[in-house]
Amino acid sequence: MIEFEQVSKSFWTGKQRKVILDRVSFRIELGNSLGILAPNGTGKTTLINMMAGLEKPDEGRIVRTSRISFPLGFMGGVVNRHTGTENARYIARLYGLDPDYVEAFARWLCGIEEYFDMPLGTYSAGMRARFSFSLMLALDFDIYLVDEGMPSTTDVEFNRKAGAILRQRLETTTMVVVSHQAATLEKYCRSAAVLKNGKLYMFDTLEEAKRLYDYETQS
């Protein structure tokens, strides 16, 4: 479970204060995957980083009672000058898991062959996305945090394997997906919310959330 209790968060842009959350309260229960719709620039990444504990609220409290993943695409735990092998084994130790298993799983799912033994700094954007997603799926979480959906990759075999694993995981885990596109959420989430002007509007269905989101973005 993740619970926000009267949470506020804002940034100074140099010209004005940008409000991300203004005394927002909500709860994400296990078994109920949630999609959050928000236009670009409204604080999607900040919100999901707060769920992961990577950013702290200005006010209020965030309660976490589950094993929560780092956000998909977040590479703060890895080192560019280290190889995929070294990074996978380091992350495994960080989470108290078997380094041999995490390395083997990520190596198999990535499918980047000899590049797995090369520094991450040599990877293309697509290879980094595959490595990040493979590493996340190698770890065991109750709640997976995803910023803007699946990694951007044209590798058909990777998409097939990763998609199958993700669907299997969704049977026993919970996913939180933030995106500016409703289509990204349809595969993974039943309930949804809309982030707007520092408030989070929760809905039982994605269709209800889409109606408010479409109205706001088109008006």
Side-chain angles (χ1 to χ4, degrees):
M1 181 269 290
I2 304 174
E3 184 170 14
F4 279 46
E5 298 177 352
Q6 292 293 303
V7 170
S8 295
K9 183 72 173 181
S10 63
F11 294 102
W12 177 251
T13 65
K15 294 184 178 180
Q16 61 181 351
R17 182 154 294 280
K18 181 178 181 59
V19 177
I20 306 299
L21 296 177
D22 182 15
R23 297 184 297 277
V24 168
S25 297
F26 66 94
R27 177 184 294 185
I28 299 169
E29 300 281 4
L30 293 183
N32 183 28
S33 292
L34 175 70
I36 300 176
L37 285 167
N40 288 327
T42 55
K44 297 188 304 297
T45 298
T46 298
L47 175 60
I48 211 161
N49 283 347
M50 292 172 71
M51 292 182 188
L54 300 174
E55 295 193 37
K56 296 182 179 180
D58 298 333
E59 298 177 350
R61 189 166 75 116
I62 301 175
V63 180
R64 305 173 190 84
T65 61
S66 306
R67 296 166 298 171
I68 301 168
S69 80
F70 51 87
L72 172 58
F74 173 71
M75 300 296 282
V78 299
V79 182
N80 279 340
R81 67 176 181 273
H82 291 168
T83 66
T85 299
E86 291 167 335
N87 276 294
R89 297 183 73 84
Y90 168 73
I91 293 295
R93 294 188 193 97
L94 199 63
Y95 283 89
L97 299 174
D98 179 5
D100 291 340
Y101 167 77
V102 173
E103 178 194 342
F105 182 96
R107 185 185 290 271
W108 165 77
L109 184 55
C110 265
I112 58 176
E113 300 179 347
E114 68 271 14
Y115 281 96
F116 202 86
D117 296 308
M118 296 175 65
L120 259 65
T122 65
Y123 289 12
S124 67
M127 290 165 62
R128 287 176 66 89
R130 286 156 63 184
F131 178 78
S132 173
F133 197 48
S134 298
L135 195 55
M136 186 180 78
L137 288 180
L139 307 179
D140 187 21
F141 298 108
D142 299 313
I143 299 176
Y144 286 87
L145 303 177
V146 182
D147 190 350
E148 291 291 359
M150 291 281 283
S152 178
T153 172
T154 58
D155 188 277
V156 175
E157 179 64 10
F158 173 80
N159 289 339
R160 183 189 65 78
K161 292 192 294 188
I165 294 168
L166 193 56
R167 286 189 293 273
Q168 185 181 41
R169 292 286 173 86
L170 281 174
E171 295 177 4
T172 57
T173 61
T174 302
M175 181 171 291
V176 179
V177 185
V178 295
S179 179
H180 69 286
Q181 295 181 321
T184 303
L185 311 181
E186 291 174 348
K187 297 179 182 178
Y188 312 114
C189 308
R190 290 190 302 273
S191 61
V194 176
L195 180 63
K196 170 179 173 288
N197 297 329
K199 300 295 184 183
L200 193 69
Y201 298 90
M202 302 286 287
F203 296 92
D204 291 331
T205 67
L206 177 58
E207 285 303 317
E208 292 175 289
K210 283 169 60 177
R211 282 196 288 270
L212 173 62
Y213 184 70
D214 291 341
Y215 173 79
E216 292 297 331
T217 54
Q218 293 171 10
S219 60

